[in-house]
Amino acid sequence: MKKLIFVLLALTAFAVVADAQVRVLGSNSLRLGSGETDDGLTTSAKRYLEEIANARIFYEGITVGIRYELSDPSEVGQNFTGFRRRWIQYQRDGLEVQAGSTFALYGRGLMVNMFESRPLNYDSWVDGFSASYEIKAAKEDIDFQPSLKVSAIGGNLTFIPVVDTNDADQNIKSQAINSNIGFFNKKLNIGVGFVQAFVNIEGTSFGNTVTTSREVNQPEVNLSFITDNFEGFIGFTEMRSIITQFRGTPLIYTTKGQGVFG
């Protein structure tokens, strides 16, 4: 808690002495709970304490953000004390770059959908970078008003199973790129993307650490359109998963799965 108080005071002091163009926004959430939980077989005591503080500093096109979290004990998932998020972002003239904690949503999420849901104990943000750049034609220049947006993200993630089980955590390294071509002020959009991920799962066998490794390659194409009374979207993706090592033993095994969303 002393760290949290120091950080908030430091940010407030910065806002006071800095130029008027600097803005600081903060929020704090404290959640306490005490009761019982029933899994259908046994009834046990349930208590939790969660303190979450968010702060952001805005200066021209630069944003710096941090989140301090004290979950001891957490309502769901593992206990955590420390800085859960920290990032710096730059935005200007269609360009957006973010380093640190970052996420992405491409298309309708068939290929890439990185998000956090505390009630579900789900967190797929990555530590790395994301960037996007968009070009739009002025209305008076071209009648069909084309636009082009290219986005990319890459980083590392330690994914913890949603349900508390004995399953090992997954160490994931991923990168993805996505492009959208729009017409008629984005009333017609064509999207193309590709994501690649390398997953390592470490377990134990007879007291030794063994690793299962997997490579995932997943392309996607989609089409969306908007009229006065109707909005349509259709996307297609194919996941190609290659196991390159199974519990320490080299192995080549490939599976494919396809999905359509409309």
Side-chain angles (χ1 to χ4, degrees):
M1 289 298 292
K2 291 182 179 179
K3 284 185 178 180
L4 171 63
I5 294 173
F6 173 79
V7 169
L8 293 181
L9 290 178
L11 292 177
T12 303
F14 180 80
V16 171
V17 301
D19 187 86
Q21 292 180 329
V22 176
R23 295 184 298 119
V24 177
L25 297 179
S27 65
N28 188 76
S29 173
L30 173 63
R31 301 177 67 248
L32 299 170
S34 178
E36 296 180 341
T37 180
D38 186 350
D39 62 3
L41 298 175
T42 59
T43 300
S44 57
K46 176 67 177 181
R47 294 181 177 85
Y48 60 88
L49 185 154
E50 295 182 344
E51 172 80 16
I52 300 175
N54 292 286
R56 295 187 183 187
I57 302 174
F58 301 89
Y59 178 71
E60 295 184 349
I62 299 175
T63 303
V64 178
I66 58 173
R67 181 205 288 179
Y68 181 86
E69 178 180 333
L70 171 65
S71 298
D72 187 18
S74 176
E75 181 181 10
V76 294
Q78 298 181 345
N79 297 342
F80 182 86
T81 300
F83 290 97
R84 175 78 75 171
R85 301 272 188 259
R86 68 280 181 276
W87 72 91
I88 182 170
Q89 183 187 71
Y90 176 77
Q91 290 179 296
R92 185 169 183 178
D93 299 332
L95 174 66
E96 179 177 326
V97 180
Q98 182 165 321
S101 305
T102 188
F103 67 98
L105 171 66
Y106 297 156
R108 294 297 192 271
L110 280 180
M111 183 183 71
V112 173
N113 185 13
M114 300 174 178
F115 70 97
E116 177 190 19
S117 176
R118 292 186 62 85
L120 295 177
N121 186 31
Y122 184 91
D123 185 359
S124 58
W125 281 47
V126 297
D127 284 330
F129 81 96
S130 63
S132 66
Y133 184 69
E134 184 173 21
I135 304 173
K136 297 180 181 178
K139 183 176 181 179
E140 58 271 16
D141 291 342
I142 305 176
D143 291 338
F144 57 89
Q145 304 169 57
S147 64
L148 172 64
K149 183 176 183 179
V150 179
S151 306
I153 188 170
N156 300 320
L157 162 69
T158 299
F159 185 80
I160 300 172
V162 175
V163 180
D164 292 333
T165 65
N166 294 323
D167 293 343
D169 298 345
Q170 301 181 34
N171 298 310
I172 303 173
K173 178 181 179 181
S174 63
Q175 50 270 330
I177 188 169
N178 185 73
S179 64
N180 276 283
I181 303 174
F183 301 98
F184 308 106
N185 197 23
K186 297 185 179 180
K187 291 185 177 180
L188 175 63
N189 278 281
I190 302 172
V192 179
F194 182 80
V195 62
Q196 183 179 56
F198 299 92
V199 184
N200 288 321
I201 305 173
E202 293 186 352
T204 57
S205 178
F206 299 103
N208 299 319
T209 300
V210 292
T211 302
T212 297
S213 302
R214 183 162 61 103
E215 177 183 340
V216 176
N217 297 289
Q218 185 174 350
E220 181 194 10
V221 294
N222 60 68
L223 174 70
S224 63
F225 61 91
I226 301 175
T227 66
D228 293 337
N229 301 309
F230 188 79
E231 178 179 350
F233 176 89
I234 183 169
F236 171 82
T237 186
E238 179 179 83
M239 177 183 287
R240 305 162 185 171
S241 178
I242 306 172
I243 296 178
T244 57
Q245 184 179 212
F246 182 74
R247 296 183 63 81
T249 301
L251 175 70
I252 300 296
Y253 182 74
T254 303
T255 61
K256 293 183 180 180
Q258 299 174 340
V260 177
F261 178 87

